[in-house]
Amino acid sequence: MDEELQEPYEDDEEATTPEVSPEAFVAFVTESQNIAAELDETKLAQIARQVIDDHAMDRASMADWMTEMQRGLDLAQLKKEDRKAYPFDGASNVKYPLITTAILQFNARAYPAIVPADQTVRAKVYGSDAGGQKAARAERISSHMSWQLAVQIEEWEADTDQLLTILPAVGTLVRKVWYDPVLGRPRLRVIEPGKFIVNDKVKSLSDAPRCSEEFSLFPPEVEANVREGQFLEVELEETQD
């Protein structure tokens, strides 16, 4: 019975076997500094087209949220509007800074809790720890990560202050953390409202098929990433921007 089932597979000319095992492929991808360097131009163009189309679809799904988010930011910033014509032409355009005051109050109360004076990170031990090894390791991890946030990642404190000012105005904010091989340390930054793109129908980020970030780089930053191997070297059209 087994031999009869195997014969058509062995004789089938269309049956192909993968060149590498899935395990070997995953290992290759995770160890590669830039997988784009291993792909041909046709495949890169195909991926680029799909990325652009998916990004446009996700951004379109966020149109209503983008509008409401921008209204909230304009209100918090007391942005001056054009001459009012309602209820009559030239009506008063004074805005009371109620939302702005609430934002500053939120920042003032949340900041000391998130940025304490002593240890920022505290690891918690679960399960039995008769010899105290887990507790000792947790203390080492807490001390090291607290040092990272307070000293090594020099932008963390100012970035957190900015986050706690924008968050109450927009409701949802994302902070990106990554390792920068150019600086040789972790880095982070708050993604500007409206620059983090995910399909609006997604209930949890863990269920999202993709997340995108829109950001700009200066030419020296692009060149640094090319020399580090993070970017491919391509011809870019020079613009006034």
Side-chain angles (χ1 to χ4, degrees), residues 12-146:
D12 189 359
E13 294 181 358
E14 296 181 358
T16 58
T17 56
E19 297 181 0
V20 295
S21 66
E23 294 79 7
F25 176 75
V26 171
F28 168 74
V29 170
T30 54
E31 293 174 3
S32 175
Q33 189 175 20
N34 187 354
I35 191 65
E38 312 295 337
L39 303 177
D40 57 41
E41 294 294 333
T42 302
K43 189 63 176 178
L44 288 175
Q46 178 184 353
I47 294 174
R49 185 71 266 167
Q50 181 179 353
V51 168
I52 293 172
D53 292 342
D54 290 346
H55 172 267
M57 178 177 63
D58 292 342
R59 207 178 206 294
S61 73
M62 297 175 63
D64 293 340
W65 182 87
M66 291 278 194
T67 302
E68 294 299 321
M69 179 270 299
Q70 191 59 52
R71 288 181 59 190
L73 287 177
D74 292 345
L75 187 61
Q77 296 171 354
L78 302 176
K79 189 174 181 180
K80 185 179 180 180
E81 298 177 351
D82 296 334
R83 181 185 178 93
K84 290 185 66 176
Y86 179 84
F88 55 86
D89 186 41
S92 175
N93 199 18
V94 175
K95 292 183 179 179
Y96 187 74
L98 183 64
I99 300 298
T100 306
T101 303
I103 289 173
L104 295 177
Q105 286 289 331
F106 176 87
N107 176 284
R109 297 180 183 184
Y111 186 84
I114 298 177
V115 189
D118 50 358
Q119 198 170 32
T120 305
V121 179
R122 290 182 176 88
K124 188 174 182 179
V125 176
Y126 291 92
S128 60
D129 186 22
Q133 295 182 356
K134 288 184 179 180
R137 184 181 183 187
E139 182 62 29
R140 293 195 300 270
I141 292 174
S142 300
S143 298
H144 176 71
M145 293 188 67
S146 296

